[in-house]
Amino acid sequence: MARLSESPNLDLLRSFAVLSVFVDHIASTFGIAQRTGLWFWALGHWGVLLFFVHTSFVLMMSMERLRLDGLKLHTTFYIRRLFRIYPLSIVAVVVVVMTGIPVANWEANTHLSHLTIFSNLILCQNLFHRSSVLAPLWVLPFLVQMDLLLPALFIFVRRTSIGPLVGVWLISVGIGRVQQLHGIDGLEIAEYIPCFLAGVIAYYISLRRKGRSLPFGAWALTLCVMGAVYSGWGGRAGYRPYQEWICCLVIGLVVVQCAESTHQFLNRLTHHIAKYSYGFYLGQVPVLWLVFVKLNDLRPSLQWPLFIFLIIAVPVASYHLIEHPLMRIGARMSSSEIKMRVLRPAL
């Protein structure tokens, strides 16, 4: 596998994820998703699952580059993740509360209690049984909670064989299914652990494979086919947990088998989408709301140029004014003796 900062295939995975969510949000804003059933919802949910696979894989590779172990690995990792996830999410919550942006354009405004706002600020909505103040924020508590396990998983993967790792994945599937059937409060993360573990398995394979037996086209085809398969299942039958876990596992298994993309235009495009994807993800609903709800009286000839400008400008500004400066601070704070690098963003 190429180095983290040189992996067009991982950029494509992240771009595919955030664009899938984007299509869902646009369709929901214009009422298309509501008229056509669950297909768009399934596509958006699939994008989130791809985030989980991508994030765990990328963070495993990030920890490898730190060359740390034990307590130092845990503290360095947690500090960097704290400064990676929270600054922009806190800004998003504050902006929503102060401006009255709805949870989503396709949902009515709801009263935000102090506990709801607090739980969103610390990204523990699921533990407090509170709704997200902005629709995309529902994903972040699961990322934060999975982050608590990733350093231990990294150490485990570096020292284990494939058998125990597959066993862990199967156990996580069983626990996830129990959670699906019985809905244990506070354990919602169990539904998504198999998706995160797909990225961990991909990292394990990347450690032990020197070559790639499949062409890049197989990777692009897999992303499209798995997206269509999962969305098609979701559109026909609703939520099917076994299918989402299997599809994520296929993504994890294939990404490490395929040669990196050599298509320069595609690589540049996906590199920039991946770089600004966190702000793009959190900024979609506010931008859609502002342009197509708040400014609904504008002519389409003005609305669409404004939308295109803002959907690009907001993520770029978010990255350069908030994300990147805080990532640098987190890197400095976490370990002064480690040469600070600018790492590929991972949500």
Side-chain angles (χ1 to χ4, degrees):
M1 196 73 189
R3 285 177 62 84
L4 181 59
S5 59
E6 302 169 352
S7 179
N9 287 4
L10 289 179
D11 284 345
L12 180 61
L13 174 59
R14 190 171 179 85
S15 299
F16 198 95
V18 74
L19 290 175
S20 296
V21 175
F22 185 49
V23 170
D24 176 27
H25 287 168
I26 288 180
S28 298
T29 297
F30 289 99
I32 300 171
Q34 292 84 336
R35 293 193 297 270
T36 57
L38 293 173
W39 188 88
F40 282 103
W41 177 88
L43 180 64
H45 195 256
W46 174 240
V48 169
L49 301 181
L50 291 181
F51 272 126
F52 293 162
V53 178
H54 175 276
T55 295
S56 57
F57 188 9
V58 167
L59 291 178
M60 291 285 124
M61 297 175 74
S62 296
M63 284 186 278
E64 180 182 354
R65 293 175 62 175
L66 290 175
R67 300 184 183 277
L68 298 173
D69 204 349
L71 180 62
K72 188 62 178 177
L73 171 65
H74 284 74
T75 56
T76 299
F77 176 81
Y78 293 146
I79 291 172
R80 290 185 179 215
R81 291 299 286 163
L82 177 72
F83 280 85
R84 176 69 187 107
I85 294 179
Y86 277 94
L88 189 59
S89 71
I90 290 173
V91 170
V93 172
V94 171
V95 169
V96 166
V97 172
M98 293 183 64
T99 61
I101 297 174
V103 173
N105 309 319
W106 50 95
E107 296 182 11
N109 274 315
T110 57
H111 173 70
L112 300 178
S113 67
H114 294 303
L115 182 57
T116 297
I117 296 171
F118 174 74
S119 66
N120 277 261
L121 287 171
I122 64 173
L123 298 179
C124 289
Q125 303 96 290
N126 60 325
L127 301 182
F128 284 89
H129 307 292
R130 297 288 164 166
S131 61
S132 296
V133 301
L134 188 67
L137 286 171
W138 76 268
V139 175
L140 300 189
F142 301 120
L143 288 168
V144 171
Q145 290 154 27
M146 194 64 198
D147 280 348
L148 298 176
L149 302 177
L150 286 180
L153 280 171
F154 173 76
I155 295 171
F156 172 72
V157 166
R158 301 284 293 185
R159 299 173 181 175
T160 192
S161 61
I162 188 63
L165 184 56
V166 171
V168 169
W169 185 83
L170 290 173
I171 291 171
S172 73
V173 167
I175 296 174
R177 188 54 178 163
V178 170
Q179 171 61 28
Q180 278 292 319
L181 294 174
H182 301 287
I184 304 171
D185 287 343
L187 288 181
E188 291 84 0
I189 182 64
E191 300 175 23
Y192 301 109
I193 288 179
C195 303
F196 285 101
L197 286 178
V200 175
I201 291 172
Y203 170 71
Y204 175 89
I205 296 173
S206 73
L207 290 178
R208 291 154 177 83
R209 286 189 64 88
K210 300 301 181 183
R212 306 180 191 91
S213 57
L214 298 176
F216 165 73
W219 172 233
L221 180 63
T222 299
L223 279 175
C224 294
V225 169
M226 287 298 100
V229 167
Y230 180 80
S231 300
W233 271 336
R236 290 195 307 270
Y239 182 62
R240 295 282 186 87
Y242 289 119
Q243 294 164 352
E244 79 174 21
W245 299 330
I246 292 171
C247 287
C248 285
L249 183 60
V250 170
I251 291 294
L253 293 175
V254 173
V255 67
V256 290
Q257 311 290 339
C258 297
E260 295 287 347
S261 169
T262 57
H263 303 279
Q264 294 186 4
F265 175 77
L266 177 65
N267 293 351
R268 286 195 297 269
L269 178 63
T270 57
H271 169 76
H272 284 94
I273 294 175
K275 180 177 180 178
Y276 300 117
S277 57
Y278 190 22
F280 184 39
Y281 176 74
L282 289 182
Q284 292 175 17
V285 170
V287 169
L288 285 165
W289 170 80
L290 175 63
V291 176
F292 296 110
V293 178
K294 191 70 173 179
L295 301 178
N296 187 49
D297 293 335
L298 283 180
R299 292 178 298 175
S301 60
L302 295 177
Q303 274 186 323
W304 283 101
L306 177 62
F307 170 70
I308 293 171
F309 170 76
L310 289 177
I311 206 65
I312 296 173
V314 168
V316 171
S318 298
Y319 180 81
H320 291 288
L321 297 179
I322 302 171
E323 297 174 59
H324 186 254
L326 271 295
M327 282 192 290
R328 292 176 65 90
I329 292 173
R332 292 194 188 101
M333 289 183 62
S334 62
S335 182
S336 59
E337 74 272 14
I338 297 175
K339 183 179 180 181
M340 197 279 292
R341 308 177 182 92
V342 179
L343 304 178
R344 160 69 59 228
L347 178 59

